[in-house]
Amino acid sequence: MTDRVPRRRTVRSLAATLCLLALAAAVPAAAQQGGTLRGKVTTAGGSRPLPGAQVSVAGTGLGALTSSTGDFVIENVPAGRRTVRVDMLGFGSLERTVMVAAGTVTEARFELSEQAIALDQVIVTGTVGGTQRRALGTVVDRISAAAAVRTAPATSVNQLLAARSPGVQVLGGAGTVGAGSPIHIRGVSSMSLDATPLIYIDGVRMDSRLSGPPGIRGGGRQSRLDDINLEDIESIEVIKGPAAATLYGTEASNGVIQIVTKRGAEGPTQFDMAMRMGKNWLWNPEAKTGWSYTGGLGGAPLDSVNLYAHERDFGPWGDPFKYGHLEALDLNVRGGAERLRYYVSGGYSNEVGVVPYNWQKQFSVRSNVDAILAPPLTAKFNLAYITRSYRAAQQNDPVDAFGNLVWGSPANLNTKWRGFQAAPPEISAQIDSREEVGRSIASAELRYQPLGWLISRVVAGIDAGEEENAVLYPRDPDGSAGWWGSLSLGSKNVTRQNNTIVTVDFSSSASKQLGQDLKATTSAGFQYYHLGSKTLGAIGTQFAASPLTTVSAGALTTGSESFVENATVGLFVQQQLDWRNRVFLTAAVRGDDNSAFGAQYEAAVYPKLSAAWVVHEEPFWKVDWVSKFRLRGAWGAAGRQPATLAAVQLYAPVTGFGDQPGLAPSAIGNEALKPERSEELELGFDLGLLKDRVEVVFTHYNRVVKDAMIGQPLPPSSGFSGTQIVNLGRVKGWGNEVQVNARMLDGRRIGWDMGVGFSTTANRIEALGAGRSVLGSGFSQNIVGFSIADLYWQKVLSAEFVNGTSGAVKNIMCDGGTGPSGREMGGPPVPCANAPLVRWGHSQPTWQVNLTQGLDLGQRVRLFLSVDGSGGNWQQDSSDPANHTTYCSSRACRVQDDPIVMAYRAIGRNPLGMYEAGFLKLREASATYTLPSAWAQRFGARGGSVSLAGRNLMTLWTAQMGWDTPRDGRVIVPLGNGRVWDVETRGTGDLSTGYQTVMPPLASTVLTVRMSF
C-alpha cells in the first residue's frame, strides 16, 4: 500500500505538467492567431471623448469599457472580419465591421450621436426584461448618473435628481450638511398622504424616508435615498404617474424611481478611482442677517446691531459661519468573461458644514456579480453595505445657532448671551444631536429562458437598516441655573429603529409571432412586499455628574417600544400587440391587497391601456427634416395606501382608578377604509429634427384622484377624540412637460449642446364629502374649487393709528373677497372683524424650468452650466412674524410706525413673513479637462480627468425683485419688511407652507480627479 502513494503523486504531477505544457503552447498560438483592437469613442464630430462606453466584439465574448479619455484596448481578438458594437446611455448605438489581422494592432474610431429619444433603448418596467422605449405609451425619463457625476458637483442622489427631468422636483430643504429633501413627481395630489414616489434599486424596494434625531429643528432630517453612493449608480429611470406605474400597484400613484447600479464588463480587469475635495459656504450672511433692534418703544433711543458682523469681528467664536469642507475617495474594479462578470467598489466621504459641529461621514462597499449558470439560466447578485454618521447643525429649539442668530437682540449684547436669543454659538455646539445608520441591501435575480419565446424572472431582495437617533444635553456645572434650564441637569433622548423591507417579484413573458406583421407578448407576474419596523426609545434625565452621558446614568428614565408591519400582495397580467415594430397596443390589469386597508375592503384592481405609433418609420413618411416622430398615449390607474394602522381601532394604556392599569380610546379607525385611487390620461409625442440634432419630448396629463382621504372630526359621543380617516375627497390635476435638446455645433474643435426642460402642474379640489367645502382652519386650508394646501388669511387694506403716527391702530379694513366662493382677493374693503380669509396663493410650485449649456473645446475641455428654478407659489418665513411680535427685535416692532404691520399684529401675524417664492438660480457650473494619455501614463493609468465644479453659485431672478441686483446680497423683503435669506428655502414636509429658522442652501465648489487603470 505504501508504494501506491508515490504512483498517485507521479500521475498527478505528470497530468499537471501536461496541462501546463498545453497552456504554454496554447497561449502563444492564441496570440499568433489573434490581434489587438485599439480605438477611441467620442461624440459625433469628435469634440468630446466618452468614458464608460461599452465596446464589444460580436460572437467572441470580448469587450472593454472606455477610459476617462474615451480610449479602449481589446486583446486576443480572433483574426478576420469582426463586428464591433459600441453602446452608451444617452447615445445611439453604433456597429461597424473591422478587419483584424493576427499579431497586429487594428485602430478604430467610433463617434456616437447623442439621443435623448433612443427608441430601441430598454426601459425597466414591471415586466421581465423591460420594454423598448418605442413600445411605451408613457414618458419615462432616463438619467445617465454615471455621465452626470463626471461634471456635476452633486454629492447626493437628491442633488443629482434635481432639475434633470421635467415634472420631477426636489424641493429645497435645509442648507445643512446631510439634510435631505422631499421629491415630488408631477406635484401633489393628496390632502393627507405623502407625495413620495416609490424607490427601487436593482429591482427591489428600498427605504427612502426622511428621518433624523428627536426634536430636530430647521429641516435637518436625512434622506435614506442619499445613503446610496452616487459613484455606484449607472442610471436612474423616472416613471411618472399612475398611467405609467399601474403595474406597481397600490403605492405607485406618486410615480416610481428605478435606480440601476453599475455592472461588470467583459474584458480585462479595470480599476477606476475618483477623489473629491471641496468647500461649502453661505453667501453674504452679513447682508442677509440684517439688523436687530432694541429701544424705540416709549420714546427710548433706538439701538441696532448686525449680530452676525458683531460676532464675526468681536466674539470669541469668530465668524458664526465658517467655510466647511468635503473630502471623498471612491475606488471600483470591474471585469470578467462572458460567463462571469463582476463590479466591486468602496467609497468614503467626510463633509463638514458651515458650523464645525455639523458633519456627515459615510462609508459604503458594493459587490455586483453577473453569471451565466447554464445557457438558459442567468443570475445577478447584488450586495451593498453602508454606514453613515450625521451630526445636526440645528439640534433643537431653542438650541440651534441659526435660530439664536435670527432672533437675537442688541438688548443683551453686553451680557453672556452676546446678543444671541438663548445662547452663543460655543454653547449651542455642546448639544449633540446625531444619527448613526448601518444598512445592508442585498438582492438576487434569476432569469430562465428555456425557449426563445419564453422568459421568466424572479427577484428577491432585502433592505435591512438600523438607525440610532439621539440628542444629548450634557450636564451643566451650574445645573438648572445653566443655559437650558432643567435640561442643563443633563438629558439624553435615544430612539433605535430597525427597518426591514423584503421584496419578492416574479414575472414571465411569452411572445408569439401571429403572421408576418403582428407579434403578441403576454406577461404575468406576482409581487410580495413586506415592511417591518421596530422602534425602541429611552430617555434619561438628571445626570449625577458632567462626564455621564448614557440614558442609564439619568436619575429619571423612561422607555418605549413599538412594532409596525405592512404587507402588499399583487398580481398583474399584460397583453401587448406589436405591428411591424411600429404600432404598439398594450392592456394590463393589476390586483392588489394591502394590510393597511380595512377588513371590509376587497382587493384593489388597477387597469391600464396604452398605445404608441412610430410614425416616421412608416413607408408614407417623406418629411426629411423630421428624423423621428412618435405619438403615444396611455390611461391607467394606481393607488396610495393609508398609514399602516389607520383602519384599526386603537387604545392607549393609562393609569386608571386606584392606580390600576387601564385602556383609553386612542384612534377610532375605519374598517371600510380603502386606498386613494388615481386615474391618469397621458398624451404626448417624441420628435427628432434635422437628423436628431434637435429632439423634443412633450407630454400632457390629466389626473383624477378618487376616494381621497381626509380627516373627519369626531363627535364627542364617539368616545374618541381627534379625527377619523375616511374616503370622501376628489381632486383633479393636470400639467404639461416639455424637454428640448439641441446639438448646436458639432465639430472636432468645438461642440455646443443645450437643453431646456419646462413643466407646469396644477390641481383643484372637487369634493370634500357631503355638506363640506372647507377642510382645516389655519393658514393652509383645503377648500373646494381651489388647490391643495393653498394659503388663506385676511388681507389688510388700510388702518389708522389711534394716537399720532405710531402705536396701536384702529379702523382696520380688509379685503372683502370676490369670486363665486368669496375667497379670492379683490373685493371691497370691509371691517376685518367681518372679513373672510382670502386666498394669497398656492403653497406648492406650479412651474419648473431647467436650462443646460455644454461647450466642448477640442477633445479635452468640457464646460457645463445649469440654470433652474420654480415658482407660481408663496411661502412664509415665520421667523419674521416672530421677530415682529414675540421677540420684538425688528425695526417695525420697535418703532411701530407702519400701520399695516401693526394691523397684522392685531388680527394675526402670519402674512408678515409672506413672499412670492419664484426664483432662478445658476445651479451648477463646471470645467472638465481630460488628461493627455502621456500624462496619465506617468501615474500608470490608462486615462484621467480633472474637473472643478460649483453649486448654488448665484440667484439670477426672483419673483419679487425681477432681474434687479440689489446691493444687499439679493435679500427678499417680505410684507413685514423682514429679510428672507434664500427664497428657495422650504420646510421638509410634503405640503410645507412655511418654515422657521431653516438654514438656507449652501454654495459649494468641488475639485474631482479621476483616474482609470
Side-chain angles (χ1 to χ4, degrees):
M1 187 170 183
T2 55
D3 61 345
R4 293 183 182 179
V5 176
R7 290 179 183 175
R8 289 179 180 174
R9 290 177 179 171
T10 301
V11 171
R12 291 174 181 171
S13 298
L14 180 59
T17 301
L18 290 174
C19 288
L20 290 173
L21 290 173
L23 286 172
V27 171
Q32 291 173 2
Q33 294 175 1
T36 299
L37 181 62
R38 184 171 64 193
K40 192 178 191 70
V41 180
T42 68
T43 57
S47 60
R48 174 162 49 102
L50 293 176
Q54 174 70 57
V55 184
S56 58
V57 182
T60 66
L62 300 174
L65 289 175
T66 57
S67 69
S68 57
T69 58
D71 297 301
F72 68 90
V73 177
I74 305 176
E75 298 177 341
N76 297 324
V77 179
R81 288 186 175 274
R82 298 296 170 190
T83 299
V84 181
R85 180 181 175 90
V86 182
D87 296 281
M88 187 171 182
L89 183 61
F91 292 81
S93 299
L94 183 62
E95 286 188 356
R96 180 180 299 165
T97 300
V98 298
M99 176 61 72
V100 178
T104 64
V105 176
T106 302
E107 299 280 351
R109 185 183 183 93
F110 297 87
E111 296 182 1
L112 302 186
S113 298
E114 294 189 60
Q115 287 189 357
I117 311 173
L119 297 183
D120 295 325
Q121 188 179 73
V122 176
I123 301 297
V124 177
T125 63
T127 61
V128 58
T131 304
Q132 280 188 322
R133 185 188 296 272
R134 64 169 58 230
L136 296 175
T138 57
V139 62
V140 176
D141 285 342
R142 192 169 192 176
I143 301 168
S144 176
V149 297
R150 293 181 178 275
T151 56
T155 58
S156 67
V157 180
N158 272 287
Q159 290 183 2
L160 186 70
L161 277 171
R164 282 185 164 84
S165 174
V168 178
Q169 186 168 33
V170 180
L171 301 178
T176 56
V177 163
S181 302
I183 299 173
H184 291 174
I185 298 178
R186 293 180 175 172
V188 296
S189 58
S190 177
M191 292 175 281
S192 60
L193 302 179
D194 69 71
T196 305
L198 293 185
I199 310 290
Y200 281 76
I201 182 167
D202 294 326
V204 300
R205 281 275 295 273
M206 64 169 284
D207 185 359
S208 59
R209 297 169 298 113
L210 292 174
S211 65
I216 192 170
R217 187 170 178 79
R221 293 186 296 167
Q222 284 198 309
S223 170
R224 295 278 65 86
L225 177 60
D226 289 339
D227 292 344
I228 306 303
N229 187 350
L230 274 181
E231 293 288 338
D232 287 335
I233 301 176
E234 181 66 33
S235 63
I236 300 175
E237 295 181 2
V238 182
I239 300 172
K240 304 176 182 180
T246 297
L247 296 188
Y248 293 90
T250 292
E251 298 177 78
S253 63
N254 295 326
V256 179
I257 294 177
Q258 293 270 9
I259 297 175
V260 180
T261 60
K262 295 178 180 178
R263 318 299 306 179
E266 298 178 17
T269 300
Q270 300 181 44
F271 297 87
D272 291 289
M273 176 184 69
M275 296 181 292
R276 299 193 303 275
M277 297 164 285
K279 291 287 185 181
N280 56 62
W281 68 92
L282 276 175
W283 279 118
N284 202 359
E286 180 177 354
K288 293 178 178 178
T289 305
W291 296 81
S292 299
Y293 295 83
T294 190
L297 299 177
L302 186 67
D303 189 17
S304 63
V305 67
N306 186 298
L307 188 55
Y308 168 85
H310 187 275
E311 181 68 16
R312 179 196 62 200
D313 297 337
F314 305 109
W317 181 261
D319 195 324
F321 303 122
K322 322 291 186 183
Y323 279 91
H325 70 267
L326 163 70
E327 54 193 24
L329 175 64
D330 289 278
L331 302 170
N332 70 67
V333 56
R334 56 175 150 188
E338 182 180 7
R339 298 182 67 90
L340 182 67
R341 301 186 300 276
Y342 57 87
Y343 170 86
V344 180
S345 71
Y348 170 79
S349 66
N350 178 24
E351 189 171 2
V352 179
V354 294
V355 291
Y357 54 86
N358 171 217
W359 47 258
Q360 175 183 267
K361 298 178 181 179
Q362 180 165 321
F363 174 75
S364 64
V365 291
R366 170 171 288 275
S367 175
N368 293 345
V369 177
D370 297 39
I372 300 177
L373 304 180
L377 182 64
T378 61
K380 293 182 179 180
F381 303 98
N382 311 291
L383 176 62
Y385 179 72
I386 303 121
T387 63
R388 194 176 186 188
S389 299
Y390 164 63
R391 185 171 176 185
Q394 299 185 255
Q395 309 96 313
N396 215 317
D397 184 19
V399 177
D400 74 276
F402 190 65
N404 272 289
L405 176 63
V406 170
W407 287 329
S409 169
N412 58 6
L413 191 63
N414 296 316
T415 68
K416 68 175 184 177
W417 286 274
R418 301 203 304 273
F420 291 91
Q421 182 238 341
E426 69 271 16
I427 301 301
S428 295
Q430 296 174 8
I431 311 307
D432 191 344
S433 179
R434 68 174 62 201
E435 180 176 58
E436 304 284 344
V437 176
R439 185 175 183 183
S440 298
I441 304 176
S443 64
E445 175 186 307
L446 295 177
R447 290 175 183 255
Y448 184 59
Q449 191 169 6
L451 303 169
W453 53 270
L454 177 65
I455 182 172
S456 299
R457 179 199 66 182
V458 61
V459 179
I462 184 171
D463 180 357
E466 180 179 273
E467 302 171 12
E468 183 174 295
N469 295 290
V471 58
L472 168 67
Y473 289 78
R475 182 181 176 90
D476 193 291
D478 295 332
S480 59
W483 294 94
W484 316 116
S486 61
L487 289 173
S488 292
L489 293 170
S491 171
K492 190 171 187 179
N493 185 347
V494 181
T495 60
R496 180 171 293 173
Q497 184 171 352
N498 294 82
N499 293 295
T500 302
I501 297 176
V502 175
T503 303
V504 178
D505 191 334
F506 171 81
S507 60
S508 186
S509 293
S511 299
K512 176 71 173 177
Q513 195 70 38
L514 304 176
Q516 183 177 356
D517 298 328
L518 186 62
K519 180 181 178 181
T521 301
T522 304
S523 303
F526 162 85
Q527 186 180 76
Y528 170 76
Y529 159 80
H530 179 272
L531 165 66
S533 180
K534 183 177 182 180
T535 303
L536 296 173
I539 301 175
T541 58
Q542 300 183 18
F543 298 153
S546 297
L548 302 177
T549 58
T550 62
V551 170
S552 58
L556 300 176
T557 59
T558 58
S560 61
E561 181 180 9
S562 66
F563 180 67
V564 176
E565 286 186 294
N566 181 257
T568 297
V569 176
L571 297 167
F572 79 86
V573 61
Q574 175 176 286
Q575 181 64 58
Q576 183 181 92
L577 297 177
D578 168 0
W579 184 75
R580 294 184 176 179
N581 202 35
R582 296 198 292 268
V583 178
F584 302 87
L585 299 175
T586 304
V589 63
R590 163 136 179 174
D592 257 7
D593 202 359
N594 183 277
S595 60
F597 301 150
Q600 300 177 8
Y601 185 68
E602 301 295 334
V605 177
Y606 304 108
K608 168 187 175 179
L609 294 170
S610 76
W613 182 18
V614 185
V615 183
H616 72 272
E617 293 183 359
E618 294 290 353
F620 63 76
W621 189 258
K622 303 298 182 182
V623 186
D624 295 337
W625 55 275
V626 178
S627 47
K628 282 193 178 75
F629 184 45
R630 181 174 74 112
L631 295 172
R632 48 184 166 78
W635 173 87
R640 190 73 180 90
Q641 69 179 44
T644 302
L645 299 177
V648 182
Q649 194 166 103
L650 300 175
Y651 295 84
V654 296
T655 302
F657 179 76
D659 292 333
Q660 295 298 309
L663 294 174
S666 174
I668 195 170
N670 181 1
E671 290 188 351
L673 197 61
K674 51 188 176 181
E676 285 192 351
R677 182 183 179 88
S678 296
E679 298 178 1
E680 186 176 83
L681 175 65
E682 177 180 313
L683 301 171
F685 62 82
D686 304 334
L687 184 66
L689 305 173
L690 306 176
K691 298 183 179 180
D692 291 341
R693 293 179 69 91
V694 179
E695 295 178 322
V696 182
V697 179
F698 173 80
T699 303
H700 172 78
Y701 64 90
N702 278 282
R703 178 187 298 171
V704 177
V705 179
K706 303 176 181 178
D707 298 321
M709 296 183 198
I710 64 175
Q712 180 170 264
L714 291 169
S717 59
S718 68
F720 290 81
S721 60
T723 60
Q724 181 186 35
I725 303 299
V726 293
N727 300 102
L728 292 178
R730 179 184 173 93
V731 179
K732 284 189 176 182
W734 60 94
N736 301 285
E737 299 161 358
V738 61
Q739 178 70 47
V740 180
N741 297 306
R743 187 68 173 169
M744 309 299 290
L745 294 174
D746 204 352
R748 293 192 177 275
R749 293 189 176 183
I750 187 169
W752 175 26
D753 57 82
M754 65 177 295
V756 178
F758 183 75
S759 64
T760 63
T761 182
N763 64 76
R764 182 176 63 247
I765 300 171
E766 298 287 309
L768 290 171
R772 180 186 288 109
S773 61
V774 179
L775 182 64
S777 58
F779 192 33
S780 171
Q781 298 184 25
N782 295 311
I783 299 178
V784 172
F786 295 91
S787 300
I788 295 173
D790 276 354
L791 302 176
Y792 299 87
W793 206 258
Q794 290 173 310
K795 172 70 173 178
V796 175
L797 298 178
S798 64
E800 301 174 7
F801 288 112
V802 174
N803 296 308
T805 58
S806 65
V809 293
K810 62 180 180 179
N811 297 331
I812 306 174
M813 303 297 287
C814 287
D815 191 319
T818 187
S821 65
R823 294 279 191 165
E824 294 286 8
M825 287 186 182
V830 298
C832 287
N834 304 321
L837 300 181
V838 292
R839 188 176 72 90
W840 285 69
H842 303 297
S843 65
Q844 309 305 308
T846 61
W847 60 263
Q848 180 184 8
V849 66
N850 172 241
L851 169 67
T852 61
Q853 298 280 332
L855 187 65
D856 299 314
L857 303 177
Q859 296 185 16
R860 303 203 179 280
V861 178
R862 169 76 170 172
L863 305 179
F864 174 82
L865 65 82
S866 170
V867 172
D868 72 68
S870 63
N873 62 308
W874 288 66
Q875 279 283 288
Q876 183 215 31
D877 182 354
S878 61
S879 313
D880 195 37
N883 270 335
H884 292 315
T885 54
T886 305
Y887 301 111
C888 201
S889 59
S890 68
R891 185 187 182 283
C893 181
R894 306 309 301 191
V895 178
Q896 299 190 358
D897 60 354
D898 186 330
I900 302 299
V901 172
M902 297 305 295
Y904 280 117
R905 281 169 51 96
I907 69 169
R909 70 187 191 182
N910 278 348
L912 293 177
M914 287 283 289
Y915 63 92
E916 291 182 88
F919 71 92
L920 288 176
K921 280 190 175 182
L922 175 56
R923 183 70 69 191
E924 296 177 351
S926 68
T928 303
Y929 179 71
T930 301
L931 300 179
S933 299
W935 292 13
Q937 289 170 4
R938 294 179 183 178
F939 301 95
R942 295 185 298 118
S945 66
V946 179
S947 68
L948 179 64
R951 184 175 179 82
N952 292 335
L953 298 178
M954 185 183 300
T955 298
L956 303 174
W957 170 87
T958 68
Q960 284 189 287
M961 295 190 303
W963 297 97
D964 295 334
T965 307
R967 287 171 291 179
D968 62 359
R970 301 214 137 265
V971 177
I972 294 299
V973 180
L975 180 62
N977 296 317
R979 306 170 79 79
V980 176
W981 285 60
D982 191 312
V983 295
E984 188 183 12
T985 307
R986 288 177 62 95
T988 53
D990 283 301
L991 292 176
S992 172
T993 59
Y995 58 91
Q996 193 172 76
T997 69
V998 175
M999 191 176 292
L1002 302 180
S1004 63
T1005 57
V1006 179
L1007 176 68
T1008 304
V1009 178
R1010 297 180 180 275
M1011 303 295 286
S1012 299
F1013 300 90

